[in-house]
Amino acid sequence: MKRCNICVIPAYPLENVQLLKDRIVIPYVCYKHFGSSMTIVTQKNGEYPYLDYFQGISLVFLPCSEKSHMQAAEQYVEQNYADIDMLFLFGARLEYIEIARIYKSLNPAGIIYLKLDANAGWMNALPLEDETYADFLYGADIVSCESRRLQSFLIKKWKRRIEYVPNGVYYPFYPSMCMCRYEEKENLILTVGRIGSAQKNSHVLLYAYAMAFPFFKENWKLVMVGSITPEFQELYDAFCKEFPEISAHIRLTGQINDRERLCSYYRKAKIFALTSQMEGGCPNVFVEAAGHGCTVITTNIDAAPDMTDNGRLGRIVDDFKDIPTYARALSGLCEDKAYLERNFYDMRTYIEEYFNDDHIAERLHILFELSGSGQNGGRVET
């Protein structure tokens, strides 16, 4: 079995919260399966308490100087290319063009894995007419995206092989998933994200809940977890004055950094709600919620069919601006007790089978071996 030295270089200085997202977790699980070492290269950006989750990896801090983060990272690659078998890059970013060129020129046998973290809008706007940028995209040995819909789109547009690698769940990081029981679930609708950001479209959930509220036959609470923009706080304060009887059932928690506390909400929630206009691939919060048996209601982002198994395991609302339709779908879910209980078990089985990071790492090992033998990547002739 071929083992490799994995090097992860974020496009910007790494934040602690990003350690437990796919940009670090996926290469870490690969390291556990077929790596001999894993190094994260970044300029320091605060403290990193989440490093306690990771065993055996190295965090290399780039010197703080007049050089930018990527310029310092390029110098690191120039000096250490021989010790890098797989260079893991996250996002189809212009910042990566030079570092990929340097790495491949010095280590032609090395493997570049580019995980796109992409949505169709962003990918459609990429400057493929720029020769150096096109060379970067086609020069990567493994390129993956997080939704089947986007995979199909990119294969047709880019004329190259694109792998489907969703954002999964690494079960050793989530012991609460194994302990989760439907009996401890409550009538709770949960969302997690940057509350009030344009991308998350949080006002739609707030007003859809308000529209659905009169039709609830039982009490349902709404919990919104995450940092809150000033604009949304202002909107929410006005909402509370207008609908005091409804706002009494809503809670804004603010940012939660304690993962056990966050997982306690996933364990209690029956429904996980997303109202995003778009997402960079498959939201990390989806697998966290679904792994705890939450039924998902989501707007029609690129990964929506994958998240719900084409609507079998949740609900998809086509128009992210359509508050009445979202409200009807939400109230319908809340009233279908039998479906929510059955879906608790079906969703967890689905996640275990298709979103398990251990299974994903096994696939990536095969792709790594194929890339090393020259059988993967490159342009596809049509």
Side-chain angles (χ1 to χ4, degrees):
M1 176 185 292
K2 184 177 180 181
R3 304 189 73 82
C4 70
N5 299 309
I6 299 171
C7 181
V8 182
I9 300 183
Y12 300 97
L14 188 71
E15 299 177 22
N16 177 65
V17 68
Q18 295 167 341
L19 283 170
L20 288 175
K21 296 187 177 181
D22 54 308
R23 69 187 65 197
I24 302 300
V25 175
I26 288 289
Y28 176 70
V29 183
C30 288
Y31 158 68
K32 299 291 284 185
H33 278 256
F34 60 91
S36 54
S37 70
M38 174 177 163
T39 304
I40 304 172
V41 178
T42 182
Q43 288 183 335
K44 190 172 183 180
N45 189 9
E47 300 302 316
Y48 297 93
Y50 285 173
L51 271 179
D52 292 343
Y53 284 86
F54 301 86
Q55 298 178 351
I57 71 171
S58 300
L59 186 60
V60 173
F61 290 125
L62 297 168
C64 294
S65 63
E66 294 181 357
K67 294 182 178 179
S68 68
H69 169 77
M70 285 309 298
Q71 288 173 331
E74 290 160 11
Q75 185 176 34
Y76 175 89
V77 169
E78 287 177 341
Q79 297 169 350
N80 296 275
Y81 67 89
D83 298 321
I84 302 172
D85 299 312
M86 175 187 278
L87 180 62
F88 184 95
L89 306 178
F90 187 81
R93 298 182 177 278
L94 297 173
E95 291 86 354
Y96 281 139
I97 293 176
E98 182 62 14
I99 203 166
R101 186 198 64 78
I102 291 170
Y103 177 65
K104 275 297 189 178
S105 66
L106 296 173
N107 187 2
I111 306 300
I112 293 179
Y113 174 23
L114 175 62
K115 191 173 189 298
L116 291 176
D117 184 46
N119 59 64
W122 178 24
M123 293 299 97
N124 206 32
L126 291 177
L128 294 180
E129 69 283 356
D130 185 301
E131 187 173 342
T132 57
Y133 185 74
D135 287 345
F136 160 60
L137 286 183
Y138 292 111
D141 301 277
I142 304 170
V143 179
S144 72
C145 66
E146 296 78 12
S147 74
R148 293 284 189 190
R149 182 189 292 170
L150 185 58
Q151 179 193 33
S152 178
F153 171 78
L154 291 178
I155 288 173
K156 294 175 183 176
K157 183 176 179 63
W158 289 1
K159 306 294 191 297
R160 70 148 293 159
R161 180 170 180 148
I162 306 292
E163 306 295 336
Y164 168 60
V165 178
N167 296 339
V169 58
Y170 186 48
Y171 283 93
F173 286 176
Y174 295 94
S176 61
M177 286 185 184
C178 299
M179 299 182 293
C180 193
R181 300 290 181 269
Y182 188 75
E183 291 71 26
E184 64 186 348
K185 293 280 187 183
E186 302 174 6
N187 288 351
L188 191 156
I189 302 159
L190 176 68
T191 193
V192 179
R194 299 180 300 278
I195 307 301
S197 67
Q199 175 186 337
K200 296 300 180 182
N201 212 28
S202 309
H203 71 283
V204 168
L205 178 57
L206 182 66
Y207 283 97
Y209 174 81
M211 291 184 70
F213 188 86
F215 300 96
F216 293 153
K217 296 177 182 177
E218 297 179 344
N219 178 35
W220 279 83
K221 295 177 288 185
L222 171 62
V223 175
M224 308 179 79
V225 175
S227 58
I228 305 166
T229 66
E231 294 79 10
F232 187 84
Q233 187 64 60
E234 183 178 347
L235 180 149
Y236 179 71
D237 291 342
F239 177 92
C240 291
K241 292 179 181 178
E242 186 175 0
F243 306 107
E245 71 284 0
I246 297 177
S247 62
H249 300 273
I250 302 173
R251 184 182 177 199
L252 274 59
T253 69
Q255 184 71 33
I256 295 180
N257 295 317
D258 185 311
R259 293 192 63 76
E260 289 188 10
R261 184 180 168 213
L262 176 59
C263 285
S264 72
Y265 281 107
Y266 287 129
R267 290 178 67 170
K268 289 187 289 186
K270 289 182 181 177
I271 295 173
F272 187 79
L274 283 171
T275 51
S276 301
Q277 296 187 36
M278 64 182 69
E279 287 283 349
C282 181
N284 289 281
V285 291
F286 157 67
V287 290
E288 292 178 338
H292 287 89
C294 300
T295 292
V296 174
I297 175 172
T298 178
T299 43
N300 197 13
I301 58 175
D302 288 335
D306 307 309
M307 293 160 56
T308 62
D309 195 22
N310 294 302
R312 179 177 70 92
L313 300 174
R315 299 291 182 267
I316 301 173
V317 178
D318 283 334
D319 186 349
F320 65 83
K321 296 177 289 187
D322 191 344
I323 296 175
T325 298
Y326 199 100
R328 286 192 294 272
L330 182 62
S331 62
L333 270 185
C334 291
E335 296 311 310
D336 199 339
K337 294 181 181 180
Y339 175 78
L340 292 175
E341 181 170 2
R342 182 174 68 251
N343 211 44
F344 169 81
Y345 301 100
D346 291 347
M347 178 63 90
R348 282 156 56 87
T349 299
Y350 180 67
I351 294 299
E352 165 64 27
E353 185 169 357
Y354 294 104
F355 291 83
N356 186 329
D357 275 342
D358 282 313
H359 299 166
I360 290 170
E362 291 170 2
R363 279 192 56 232
L364 287 172
H365 190 196
I366 295 171
L367 294 174
F368 176 77
E369 295 280 5
L370 291 173
S371 297
S373 62
Q375 299 179 51
N376 200 39
R379 296 177 187 262
V380 175
E381 298 299 330
T382 58

